[in-house]
Amino acid sequence: MNDIIKYFFEAYFHQDWRYEYSSSRELLEDFIRMESESTVHDLAGAFKELMECPDVLQDRVNECDGNFNPESEEMSAIEWISMALTILQRNTRSDISG
């Protein structure tokens, strides 16, 4: 599994993440503020790869002991990845081409 995805879900989507954030969008914005541009770029690249097989997102979360299901925010996995990728790409100056 991609280490950046593991890091992201373990560090941010921990058991109590809903007490800290009202939505995954807010969590993503905090990730961008807290992490280096390189880390944001790496996560965006990993999410871009997931766009090719979105059905594995929940499996990745489960592997990381993550506590997030995109359906809890009325999104499919592909919709959530797309939203996350848009936010990440908007907030990095680096080219995220893969």
Side-chain angles (χ1 to χ4, degrees), residues 22-36:
S22 62
S23 69
S24 62
R25 178 181 296 272
E26 184 181 340
L27 181 147
L28 281 161
E29 296 288 351
D30 199 39
F31 173 82
I32 292 163
R33 280 190 297 277
M34 302 287 288
E35 300 293 338
S36 69

Side-chain angles (χ1 to χ4, degrees), residues 84-97:
L85 191 52
T86 297
I87 291 170
L88 294 167
Q89 288 176 322
R90 180 181 74 219
N91 287 284
T92 184
R93 293 181 297 269
S94 301
D95 176 36
I96 302 170
S97 55

Side-chain angles (χ1 to χ4, degrees), residues 15-70:
Q15 183 176 354
D16 296 327
W17 78 271
R18 288 257 185 217
Y19 294 113
E20 296 176 34
Y21 304 103
S22 62
S23 69
S24 62
R25 178 181 296 272
E26 184 181 340
L27 181 147
L28 281 161
E29 296 288 351
D30 199 39
F31 173 82
I32 292 163
R33 280 190 297 277
M34 302 287 288
E35 300 293 338
S36 69
E37 185 174 337
S38 174
T39 300
V40 172
H41 181 271
D42 290 349
L43 183 62
F47 280 170
K48 190 170 183 177
E49 289 178 21
L50 277 180
M51 291 286 288
E52 297 173 11
C53 50
D55 55 314
V56 302
L57 174 63
Q58 194 60 48
D59 291 340
R60 294 287 186 249
V61 174
N62 293 341
E63 289 173 14
C64 297
D65 294 325
N67 291 284
F68 177 64
N69 184 337

